[in-house]
Amino acid sequence: MAYGLHPFITPDADGAIGEFGGKIDHPALKTALQEIEDGFHAMIQDPSFIDEFKLLRETYVGRPSPIYHARHLSAGGAQIYLKREDLNHTGSHKINHCIGEVLLAKKLGKKKVIAETGAGQHGVALATAAALLGLECEIHMGEVDIAKEHPNVSRMKILGAKVVPVSFGAKTLKEAVDSAFEAYLGDVQNSMFAIGSVVGPAPYPEMVAYFQSVVGHEARAQFQAAYGCLPDEVVACVGGGSNAMGMFNAFLDDQDVRLVAVEPAGEGLDKPGRHAASMTLGKKGSLHGYRCYYLQDENGEPAEVYSIASGLDYPGVGPQHCHLHDSGRAHYESADDVQTLDAFMRLSREEGIIPALESAHAVAYALRRAATQPKEHRILVNLSGRGDKDIDFVIAKLGL
């Protein structure tokens, strides 16, 4: 049950994965994050935690999530399969790490969890886990995303979370991270920052990837059992990168399996500030206390970013992905808004599955790729979330 991380992407004692990642150089936060790191490493060796976590995943989250063969989308080209993380309780992969993070906060004696959210899926999942385990929850969310993703804002409030609107800067995910870190710094004794992706300083990239690794290990075993082979390609969308790392980890030794992460090209890669393709066009530097590729302006500061999917509009990407990119083990592609909306509607109308706009980026790539490959080619997509949160926006955008 307690799947580990592949040594290829396990951080060293300094929290680094190759030249990326690292520990934060801030006196108060350094001590607080070391407490979290020590607690995490102790907890995952504790049989009582493993038993509790396994029980909650099976009886509360609803794992394992199935693999579905999208036969209509596969007509005339390669075969497309979906790992149905959208069927998890709360509607996405985010619940996988949120249960683990809140269990850790409780073990450390914290009274509250604090986090950022973009699309609201991490916020909903964390509020859910906090309600289940009896902790307070505070979610920081940009005002742009609050307006766009109002169904998830309502869910968070119903679940008892305090939603803090972020009104500075672009009022989206990066600013929500800044705001949440500020709040955490003001109360490190009683609270724990529960980051929503494989980004940030150590131990967050390792911790979130560990809790998400169940996705790939399930998928690998399920695909072999059902089809007697492995997929030719494994595909996931990437913003910070949690669902992609969860999926990729189990396939790293399978050199014949092509790993593809799909970034948001937004309104075009040639339009600065109107995409969020960190790996495609970013440069190396430090962001939010860790080293990674991120989109930078002419002064080396984080550039403005945009994505039709609120969960992907972050200027950087997790250190594991940076390492996988530079090693050549994973490939980083992109899908623009037009392709993403087309994939959203095709999956909805041809398979009866409404995906999250984030996940629709991965579906868009799979459709594009499938058209160039023979029917024997197998593409496994991590359908990381469902699109309930996006339906009003899509209807307005397309004039339906």
Side-chain angles (χ1 to χ4, degrees):
M1 190 288 305
Y3 306 111
L5 290 180
H6 192 281
F8 185 58
I9 53 170
T10 300
D12 62 21
D14 295 320
I17 301 166
E19 63 179 296
F20 303 103
K23 296 188 176 183
I24 198 164
D25 186 21
H26 184 291
L29 283 178
K30 185 174 183 180
T31 300
L33 296 189
Q34 189 63 52
E35 178 192 23
I36 293 173
E37 181 176 346
D38 293 342
F40 164 67
H41 286 145
M43 186 174 72
I44 61 175
Q45 300 298 322
D46 181 354
S48 65
F49 161 75
I50 299 298
D51 290 343
E52 183 177 11
F53 192 39
K54 180 179 180 181
L55 182 65
L56 287 173
R57 289 204 308 204
E58 292 175 354
T59 63
Y60 190 72
V61 176
R63 303 211 68 88
S65 63
I67 287 178
Y68 169 73
H69 184 192
R71 291 173 177 82
H72 299 294
L73 292 185
S74 303
Q79 303 306 295
I80 297 173
Y81 303 83
L82 307 174
K83 176 62 170 166
R84 297 291 308 276
E85 290 297 287
D86 60 309
L87 295 179
N88 292 338
H89 180 44
T90 73
S92 81
H93 70 293
K94 297 290 188 179
I95 192 69
N96 298 328
H97 67 256
C98 285
I99 292 286
E101 286 180 323
V102 177
L103 282 170
L104 174 58
K106 193 168 184 177
K107 179 181 177 64
L108 294 176
K110 306 301 182 182
K111 299 176 181 178
K112 179 169 70 174
V113 284
I114 299 173
E116 84 302 332
T117 197
Q121 289 300 105
H122 175 60
V124 169
L126 192 68
T128 298
L132 173 69
L133 296 167
L135 271 68
E136 297 175 42
C137 183
E138 180 176 305
I139 304 296
H140 293 243
M141 190 173 189
E143 288 183 342
V144 169
D145 295 331
I146 286 175
K148 184 178 174 182
E149 307 286 4
H150 64 89
N152 275 346
V153 177
S154 298
R155 291 185 181 96
M156 286 184 270
K157 290 179 178 179
I158 288 171
L159 289 161
K162 176 183 178 182
V163 179
V164 178
V166 178
S167 59
F168 59 87
K171 307 176 187 178
T172 56
L173 183 55
K174 174 191 171 295
E175 290 75 24
V177 175
D178 293 336
S179 179
F181 258 121
E182 185 76 18
Y184 174 52
L185 184 58
D187 191 21
V188 294
Q189 290 298 114
N190 298 306
S191 63
M192 188 182 104
F193 190 90
I195 212 161
S197 192
V198 289
V199 297
Y204 291 108
E206 177 189 11
M207 184 165 65
V208 174
Y210 173 89
F211 290 133
Q212 289 294 346
S213 68
V214 63
V215 180
H217 286 284
E218 276 183 9
R220 190 177 186 281
Q222 288 169 321
F223 207 93
Q224 282 188 311
Y227 305 108
C229 63
L230 294 177
D232 297 294
E233 297 186 51
V234 171
V235 180
C237 67
V238 63
S242 60
N243 92 92
M245 276 317 309
M247 190 65 153
F248 290 174
N249 185 66
F251 295 94
L252 288 174
D253 285 333
D254 302 309
Q255 295 298 321
D256 291 336
V257 178
R258 189 170 187 259
L259 305 179
V260 182
V262 186
E263 297 189 301
E267 295 175 358
L269 296 177
D270 59 341
K271 297 180 179 180
R274 302 308 297 167
H275 65 77
S278 309
M279 200 69 81
T280 304
L281 295 173
K283 299 177 182 178
K284 296 176 184 178
S286 294
L287 174 70
H288 287 141
Y290 73 108
R291 295 182 299 280
C292 65
Y293 282 104
Y294 69 97
L295 294 168
Q296 302 176 26
D297 64 18
E298 60 276 9
N299 299 315
E301 295 297 318
E304 289 187 16
V305 294
Y306 156 81
S307 172
I308 197 171
S310 296
L312 302 182
D313 60 356
Y314 183 69
V317 69
Q320 295 105 325
H321 285 291
C322 300
H323 189 55
L324 289 174
H325 171 272
D326 281 9
S327 72
R329 181 61 189 95
H331 305 270
Y332 291 81
E333 303 282 348
S334 64
D336 64 25
D337 287 356
V338 173
Q339 295 166 333
T340 298
L341 285 167
D342 177 68
F344 181 99
M345 295 306 298
R346 285 194 60 186
L347 184 55
S348 298
R349 293 186 170 179
E350 296 180 31
E351 300 287 353
I353 299 171
I354 302 174
L357 281 170
E358 290 78 11
S359 312
H361 284 75
V363 177
Y365 166 82
L367 289 168
R368 189 170 77 218
R369 178 71 168 166
T372 70
Q373 300 299 310
K375 65 180 181 179
E376 296 81 14
H377 193 81
R378 295 180 169 95
I379 302 172
L380 176 60
V381 176
N382 189 13
L383 196 69
S384 56
R386 64 175 178 243
D388 305 38
K389 65 186 179 61
D390 297 315
I391 54 178
D392 290 342
F393 172 81
V394 170
I395 287 173
K397 184 78 173 176
L398 297 179
L400 300 177

